[in-house]
């Protein structure tokens, strides 16, 4: 009888968790004008002195895309002031299979820099950018039927250092996310 109750409890506990993992939400943004839209495969919300929000999306096709993004919140509320600065960071990997080219873009956790590594065949190029501006805004926080939903927007602008041979900019615009926990 005891094992039956434990089994029922585990099934009832694990079913909602599995559903949340399968429908964690979605993220979309423009990266230098190129639209990237992904279904989130996982999302995580952890609490210490800040609330850490992390999400992961991926796409497999002719181009494999992996995206991780995170930020910290002071509290679960709407607005830009609830986001702890600096905390916005992300990693984006794009693997263009037919062209045998890979691009990895990493925004640092300290909010100061962006690093892009492009590999094509045996050649590799590394470009460093400085943060000009970034923002994350929480538009909606809703708890309904035991599911916490966060909806928000994000953007960021980066620029190569002034002493770089050619001035380059890197822009993330129209970023939107909807996460379910």
């Amino acid at each position: 009888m005891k094992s039956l109750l434990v089994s029922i409890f585990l099934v009832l506990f694990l079913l909602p968790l599995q559903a949340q993992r399968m429908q964690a939400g979605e993220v979309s943004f423009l990266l230098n004008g190129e639209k990237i839209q992904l279904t989130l495969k996982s999302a995580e919300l952890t609490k210490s002195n800040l609330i850490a929000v992390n999400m992961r999306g991926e796409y497999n096709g002719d181009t494999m895309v992996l995206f991780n993004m995170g930020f910290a919140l002071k509290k679960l509320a709407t607005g830009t002031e609830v986001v702890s600065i600096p905390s916005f960071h992300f990693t984006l990997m794009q693997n263009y299979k037919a062209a045998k080219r890979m691009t990895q873009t990493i925004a640092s956790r300290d909010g100061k820099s962006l690093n892009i590594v492009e590999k094509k065949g045996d050649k590799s190029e590394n470009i460093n950018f400085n943060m000009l501006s970034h923002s994350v805004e929480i538009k909606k926080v809703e708890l309904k039927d035991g599911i916490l939903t966060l909806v928000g927007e994000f953007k960021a602008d980066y620029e190569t250092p002034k002493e770089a041979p050619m001035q380059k900019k890197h822009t993330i615009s129209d970023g939107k996310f909807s996460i379910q926990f």
Side-chain angles (χ1 to χ4, degrees):
M1 183 67 171
K2 204 178 207 183
S3 63
L4 179 63
L5 288 174
V6 170
S7 298
I8 291 172
F9 174 75
L10 285 175
V11 168
L12 292 175
F13 179 74
L14 293 176
L15 280 177
L17 289 179
Q18 184 64 26
Q20 287 178 7
R21 280 191 205 117
M22 293 176 72
Q23 291 189 342
E26 59 188 21
V27 63
S28 66
F29 55 95
L30 293 176
L31 179 67
N32 289 336
E34 177 188 353
K35 180 149 180 118
I36 296 178
Q37 186 167 355
L38 300 167
T39 299
L40 295 177
K41 299 294 183 185
S42 68
E44 181 180 86
L45 186 73
T46 55
K47 172 77 172 107
S48 55
N49 41 338
L50 293 172
I51 301 166
V53 179
N54 291 296
M55 61 187 92
R56 176 184 169 86
E58 59 186 71
Y59 170 76
N60 279 312
D62 293 340
T63 302
M64 183 179 76
V65 180
L66 298 173
F67 180 74
N68 293 302
M69 185 174 96
F71 52 88
L73 299 173
K74 299 172 191 171
K75 59 184 176 178
L76 282 174
T78 58
T80 55
E81 66 282 348
V82 299
V83 179
S84 178
I85 303 293
S87 70
F88 172 70
H89 61 278
F90 71 91
T91 301
L92 172 66
M93 187 180 84
Q94 297 168 289
N95 186 1
Y96 305 92
K97 295 173 186 173
K100 297 182 181 175
R101 180 173 68 107
M102 186 197 67
T103 303
Q104 187 171 2
T105 307
I106 302 171
S108 66
R109 289 184 179 269
D110 65 6
K112 295 181 181 176
S113 64
L114 179 81
N115 180 266
I116 298 176
V117 177
E118 291 189 44
K119 294 179 182 178
K120 186 167 186 174
D122 294 340
K123 296 181 181 178
S124 179
E125 182 180 8
N126 192 356
I127 306 168
N128 292 304
F129 293 81
N130 294 326
M131 169 69 74
L132 293 178
S133 67
H134 72 281
S135 70
V136 177
E137 182 175 2
I138 304 300
K139 295 287 198 176
K140 179 179 163 186
V141 177
E142 179 180 67
L143 181 61
K144 186 175 182 181
D145 297 328
I147 296 174
L148 176 65
T149 302
L150 289 181
V151 176
E153 297 177 352
F154 62 98
K155 62 183 176 179
D157 290 306
Y158 303 90
E159 185 176 79
T160 53
K162 301 284 185 228
E163 61 273 5
M166 288 183 61
Q167 196 73 22
K168 293 183 180 180
K169 293 191 178 206
H170 205 73
T171 303
I172 295 173
S173 58
D174 295 330
K176 298 178 184 343
F177 61 85
S178 175
I179 313 170
Q180 296 174 342
F181 300 98

